[in-house]
Amino acid sequence: MSDLAARARTLREALARYNHQYYVLDAPTVPDAQYDALFRELQQLEAAHPELLTPDSPTLRVGAAPRDGFQEVTHRVPMLSLNNGFSEADIQNFDRRVREGLGLTEVDYACEPKFDGLAVSLLYRNGVLVEGSTRGDGETGEDVTANLRTIRAIPLRLPLADPPPVLEVRGEVLMLKQDFAALNAAQAARGEKAFVNPRNAAAGALRQLDPALTAQRPLSFFAYGVGEVEGLDLPPTHALLMDVLARLHFPVATERAVVRGVAGLLQYFERIGQQRAGLCYDIDGVVYKVDAFRLQQALGFVSRAPRFAIAHKFPAEEALTEIVDIDVQVGRTGALTPVARLKPVFVGGVTVTNATLHNEDEIRRKDIRIGDQVWVRRAGDVIPEVVAVVLAQRPDNARQFIMPMRCPVCGSAVTRTADEATSRCSGGLFCPAQRKQALLHFAQRRAMDIDGLGEKLVDQLVDGGLVRAAPDLYTLALEPLAQLPRMGMKSAQNLLAAIAHSRQTTLGRFIFALGIRNVGEATARDLARHFGDLPALLAATPEALQAVPDVGPVVAQSIHDFLAEPHNRDVIARLLEQGIHWPEVQAPTVQARPLAGLTLVLTGTLPHLSRSEAQVRIENAGGKVAGSVSKRTHYVVAGADAGSKLEQARTLGIQVLDEAQLLSLLNQETPSP
DNA sequence: GATCCTCGAGTTCT
DNA sequence: CTCGAGGATC
């Protein structure tokens, strides 16, 4: 190694050390000026000798070159969400389910504050931070590595002589209250707009395309767990894992604790609630996790959330405001939804002006009238909700809401069946509102994924008579499009490119995009998998449809009715004429589906297949992958370090397979008994 | 017939 | 995110 390389390395190590002392331990050991001098020396060295620049260099913290957009990142271990509890009863139920699931009388829980920030994943390969991503939908997020590198509290290199090949650390990016206040003061001094709350400020900073801008925002990070790990023995409990992360120089919440039983949980909640206002960051509750990883594994998951953890949320903030009016919105299926127009009110970190009232019955039940003073909160801290009316303050001229007899958009009759709470516009696709919603549904990301075709544009296209139904999108010409208001040549070209791009799709997305009542993303995929191609679906009788998993009489009838409608047939035919296509789905013959009707449970780490690969293969073979072992499980597939699921399989006398046996099962020609 | 779980649909704001 | 309904299971 040359002298220069050695010097660069010394500088990097010293800066990393000072950084950790300053930003994580809050105990600087050198004056700022000295830090700055070392930093500049390293910057100059790297500028003169670019080959000395490493991915863990602190100079990257001031921001790399701006980018065009963010790459997608697939999380190899999904980033799950937590179930929420609001009441003592919720927490008691949680504890009861945990105890029953484990067969224990008392359980130890690791508790920590629930940060109100953004979940991110940090991937360290051989001890160096190589990739950082947002949580996204839990399966895939965005690559924000350059932005995360600017956060001083995040180590760029693990302080280990012999780092593990892979360590994925998960945690929350947030802005400390004091930093937020200072940032807003600075914004105000410059005459710029203030941020609404620390969470939004942090979210905005993380999504900057120019990392140099992110670097100017004072972001912090706290770790709360790990994802993928290779070559590192994890301690047996969550609390000990947090200690390990702290030793690796990650900031972790100091308010964490291990408590016993539900009484301990409730005491902890009480204590943190009292400390809340004095904490240096915003929190929206606390998180409880079963402390022992062995027990966590035994409990497993229900759909997208772990059974071994719960978020105990503080009650949502409520605010008083006035119902100025009640409007009616028309949805894709013609559902008429009353929406309260509110006098703008700041609640739960944002200004709320609208709140859904769901349906007539709901309005009657809460006795909401136009002109009333009402309490408003953000349900689950997101969607505004009218909680209650202040009857004592009802003005004399308060008006009751009456569901219109005719659709406010198209004038068709409004109907309501006895068994449904919703009123519907009977206009069908004659109603512009329904046509617009159908188009938005068609274009949405999980359907045909036409980028840029949003509400405003759909309004213009439909109102301007350019588009009546989805097939018209594919015959749009550039000139008339470019003449729309607020639409230039460039945007028009982009839109046409996005539309053209959507021609290549999958059968499942296409079926979902059609907008058949009661057929969402999952059912559309099931239909695609079951029938394999479109003609088979078009020809299916209601009985044949019910053979598809999760399709019963109601859904089957919806599909049949939709496909029997000549207009819908015409739309499908025209879309195909416009060149919409998809790769052929594997023929769903009995031979190709050796696991049809079987339920398997995966446990432990398989030698070659990842868990998700194994799942995809099993599902492609017609099998189901369940989260926990029951007497309905046909096989348990066990790999290395298999946990209690394996034990349970043995107790219940369920056949256990290894990876090789699974593969031979997948390859066999006929269904297994 | 009761209960659990999953999916669909509608919704807000930035 | 939440609600409600449809489907599956016990």
Side-chain angles (χ1 to χ4, degrees), chain A residues 20 112 223-226 235 237-254 256-258 291 293:
Chain A
H20 174 239
E112 58 205 25
Y224 57 63
V226 296
T237 69
H238 179 77
L240 291 171
L241 174 65
M242 291 298 100
D243 294 342
V244 169
L245 289 176
R247 280 203 295 281
L248 294 179
H249 289 180
F250 291 95
V252 291
T254 47
R256 62 195 201 283
V258 177
D291 195 29
F293 289 133

Side-chain angles (χ1 to χ4, degrees), chain A residues 164-184:
Chain A
V166 178
L167 174 64
E168 183 192 348
V169 175
R170 290 174 175 181
E172 199 94 347
V173 168
L174 49 83
M175 196 175 285
L176 301 181
K177 288 178 189 170
Q178 63 201 40
D179 290 335
F180 173 72
L183 176 67
N184 263 355

Side-chain angles (χ1 to χ4, degrees), chain A residues 366-592:
Chain A
K366 290 181 176 167
D367 191 20
I368 297 167
R369 303 197 190 170
I370 300 163
D372 272 340
Q373 293 290 312
V374 290
W375 286 102
V376 173
R377 74 168 168 218
R378 298 216 299 149
D381 280 333
V382 180
I383 297 181
E385 172 187 40
V386 173
V387 185
V389 173
V390 187
L391 286 175
Q393 288 185 34
R394 170 165 291 167
D396 294 338
N397 61 356
R399 278 185 297 134
Q400 227 164 346
F401 169 78
I402 301 162
M403 186 60 83
M405 314 264 292
R406 306 221 149 252
C407 169
V409 177
C410 72
S412 300
V414 169
T415 57
R416 180 177 166 183
T417 54
D419 58 334
E420 262 197 335
T422 39
S423 306
R424 290 178 193 279
C425 157
S426 61
L429 290 178
F430 168 75
C431 177
Q434 291 188 51
R435 279 213 307 278
K436 287 175 183 173
Q437 293 296 322
L439 283 167
L440 279 172
H441 174 82
F442 183 85
Q444 70 156 286
R445 199 162 58 88
R446 290 174 326 194
M448 300 302 280
D449 192 16
I450 303 178
D451 215 27
L453 187 56
E455 197 175 341
K456 289 271 150 55
L457 200 47
V458 166
D459 277 349
Q460 290 184 351
L461 291 173
V462 173
D463 294 343
L466 266 58
V467 172
R468 279 188 61 84
D472 303 332
L473 292 170
Y474 295 90
T475 53
L476 275 176
L478 189 59
E479 271 78 47
L481 201 54
Q483 277 164 21
L484 289 174
R486 317 201 85 251
M487 166 77 81
M489 210 49 163
K490 184 72 188 155
S491 330
Q493 277 168 350
N494 285 345
L495 179 65
L496 288 184
I499 292 172
H501 182 74
S502 73
R503 284 194 169 94
Q504 160 76 39
T505 182
T506 64
L507 179 55
R509 278 169 172 264
F510 181 74
I511 295 171
F512 175 54
L514 292 175
I516 304 169
R517 182 93 74 89
N518 297 319
V519 175
E521 207 182 355
T523 309
R525 239 190 336 243
D526 282 345
L527 288 168
R529 208 166 14 210
H530 185 266
F531 288 102
D533 61 11
L534 196 55
L537 174 66
L538 294 178
T541 60
E543 293 72 41
L545 288 163
Q546 286 194 54
V548 179
D550 297 319
V551 174
V554 175
V555 178
Q557 198 58 46
S558 298
I559 301 169
H560 187 77
D561 290 352
F562 182 93
L563 295 176
E565 174 68 43
H567 169 78
N568 293 328
R569 290 262 173 181
D570 179 53
V571 163
I572 293 172
R574 282 170 64 207
L575 285 170
L576 297 180
E577 275 167 31
Q578 289 305 322
I580 289 182
H581 62 281
W582 47 83
E584 255 177 56
V585 183
Q586 188 187 10
T589 57
V590 173
Q591 285 83 353

Side-chain angles (χ1 to χ4, degrees), chain A residues 64-71 142-143 146 207-211 451:
Chain A
R67 320 172 41 136
D68 294 341
F70 297 109
Q71 294 284 314
E142 287 176 324
D143 182 340
R207 295 209 32 121
Q208 289 294 334
L209 288 172
D210 181 356
D451 215 27

Side-chain angles (χ1 to χ4, degrees), chain A residues 49-363:
Chain A
H49 305 277
E51 72 279 5
L52 296 180
L53 180 64
T54 58
D56 64 336
S57 174
T59 57
L60 293 174
R61 291 198 193 271
V62 293
R67 320 172 41 136
D68 294 341
F70 297 109
Q71 294 284 314
E72 272 202 353
V73 175
T74 303
H75 301 300
R76 284 198 280 185
V77 180
M79 295 182 77
L80 301 157
S81 51
L82 292 180
N83 284 323
N84 291 322
F86 293 92
S87 64
E88 238 178 82
D90 291 343
I91 303 308
Q92 271 155 356
N93 282 334
F94 164 72
D95 175 63
R96 182 178 46 77
R97 281 194 302 267
V98 166
R99 282 184 291 112
E100 285 173 2
L102 296 171
L104 295 173
T105 51
E106 215 168 33
V107 177
D108 282 341
Y109 294 100
C111 309
E112 58 205 25
K114 184 172 192 310
F115 305 104
D116 195 10
L118 298 114
V120 297
S121 154
L122 305 170
L123 184 64
Y124 293 83
R125 285 196 191 280
N126 300 314
V128 178
L129 175 66
V130 292
E131 186 183 273
S133 51
T134 60
R135 175 178 180 277
D137 62 4
E139 300 286 328
T140 54
E142 287 176 324
D143 182 340
V144 287
T145 313
N147 291 351
L148 289 172
R149 278 204 185 104
T150 68
I151 301 176
R152 309 292 164 126
I154 294 178
L156 298 176
R157 173 184 283 275
L158 302 178
L160 289 175
D162 188 19
V166 178
L167 174 64
E168 183 192 348
V169 175
R170 290 174 175 181
E172 199 94 347
V173 168
L174 49 83
M175 196 175 285
L176 301 181
K177 288 178 189 170
Q178 63 201 40
D179 290 335
F180 173 72
L183 176 67
N184 263 355
Q187 291 283 110
R190 282 198 300 266
E192 285 172 34
K193 209 173 80 191
F195 295 97
V196 215
N197 57 45
R199 191 180 186 285
N200 282 4
L206 206 55
R207 295 209 32 121
Q208 289 294 334
L209 288 172
D210 181 356
L213 291 177
T214 310
Q216 290 164 15
R217 302 280 176 79
L219 295 177
S220 298
F221 173 84
F222 287 89
Y224 57 63
V226 296
E228 197 185 11
V229 179
E230 263 177 45
L232 186 70
D233 285 332
L234 295 181
T237 69
H238 179 77
L240 291 171
L241 174 65
M242 291 298 100
D243 294 342
V244 169
L245 289 176
R247 280 203 295 281
L248 294 179
H249 289 180
F250 291 95
V252 291
T254 47
E255 295 81 8
R256 62 195 201 283
V258 177
V259 304
R260 175 154 296 185
V262 73
L265 295 178
L266 296 174
Q267 266 171 25
Y268 180 81
F269 183 73
E270 180 79 8
R271 196 175 86 222
I272 296 294
Q274 282 163 8
Q275 293 176 5
R276 183 179 182 186
L279 294 178
C280 58
Y281 38 68
D282 278 338
I283 61 174
D284 55 0
V286 298
V287 177
Y288 311 137
K289 294 175 186 164
V290 172
D291 195 29
F293 289 133
R294 190 175 50 83
L295 300 183
Q296 288 189 2
Q297 277 173 12
L299 285 165
F301 300 85
V302 187
S303 72
R304 271 177 216 122
R307 254 191 285 250
F308 55 78
I310 192 169
H312 192 175
K313 296 284 204 75
F314 295 128
E317 187 198 339
E318 297 186 353
L320 201 57
T321 189
E322 184 193 321
I323 305 238
V324 179
D325 202 357
I326 297 179
D327 285 351
V328 173
Q329 278 179 4
V330 185
R332 173 169 65 90
T333 62
L336 298 187
T337 311
V339 181
R341 306 294 175 200
L342 306 167
K343 210 161 111 198
V345 60
F346 191 77
V347 53
V350 297
T351 305
V352 167
T353 51
N354 301 314
T356 176
L357 299 172
H358 299 111
N359 56 57
E360 256 180 310
D361 296 351
E362 173 88 359
I363 297 178

Side-chain angles (χ1 to χ4, degrees), chain A residues 622-666:
Chain A
K624 262 194 167 167
V625 176
S628 56
V629 181
S630 70
K631 58 187 171 196
R632 298 197 56 260
T633 309
H634 297 99
Y635 295 107
V636 169
V637 183
D641 303 319
S644 66
K645 287 189 217 168
L646 180 55
E647 284 167 36
Q648 198 160 3
R650 294 204 173 115
T651 332
L652 293 171
I654 291 160
Q655 194 177 346
V656 178
L657 308 176
D658 61 16
E659 189 188 68
Q661 288 170 311
L662 171 67
L663 289 172
S664 72
L665 208 57
L666 287 168

